[in-house]
Amino acid sequence: TVMRLELNPGEVSEIHSHGGDEVTHVTDGTLHVRTWFEETGSVFELGPGDACYVPQGADHLYANYGSAMARAIKGVAPAYLP
């Protein structure tokens, strides 16, 4: 599954997970990705051209703490739903 992600300034997504591995590639703005996997939490600050990997089943959220729209393309495989 491939999709676009857009977050307005100040917007934070719900915590969620997927039934597959996820790769997120930022195209515009600054996107923060917070993950929790095997009792370890990580935060990634991504700008245009940056990407991050989230393992299958890892809880995560997206946040835009900047003043401009954050946009990304993400892919999840083999399954989007947990």
Side-chain angles (χ1 to χ4, degrees):
T1 304
V2 176
M3 66 206 74
R4 288 186 303 186
L5 173 67
E6 296 185 347
L7 270 78
N8 292 308
E11 187 175 358
V12 178
S13 74
E14 296 290 324
I15 296 172
H16 61 282
S17 63
H18 301 291
D21 296 331
E22 175 181 325
V23 174
T24 301
H25 173 81
V26 176
T27 58
D28 297 291
T30 302
L31 181 69
H32 288 80
V33 181
R34 180 179 295 267
T35 66
W36 296 268
F37 184 69
E38 296 181 353
E39 300 182 23
T40 300
S42 300
V43 178
F44 302 94
E45 181 178 319
L46 307 174
D50 292 336
C52 75
Y53 166 79
V54 179
Q56 177 179 348
D59 287 334
H60 59 286
L61 64 75
Y62 312 105
N64 179 357
Y65 300 123
S67 59
M69 177 74 76
R71 293 183 178 90
I73 298 171
K74 65 181 198 169
V76 179
Y80 179 78
L81 298 175

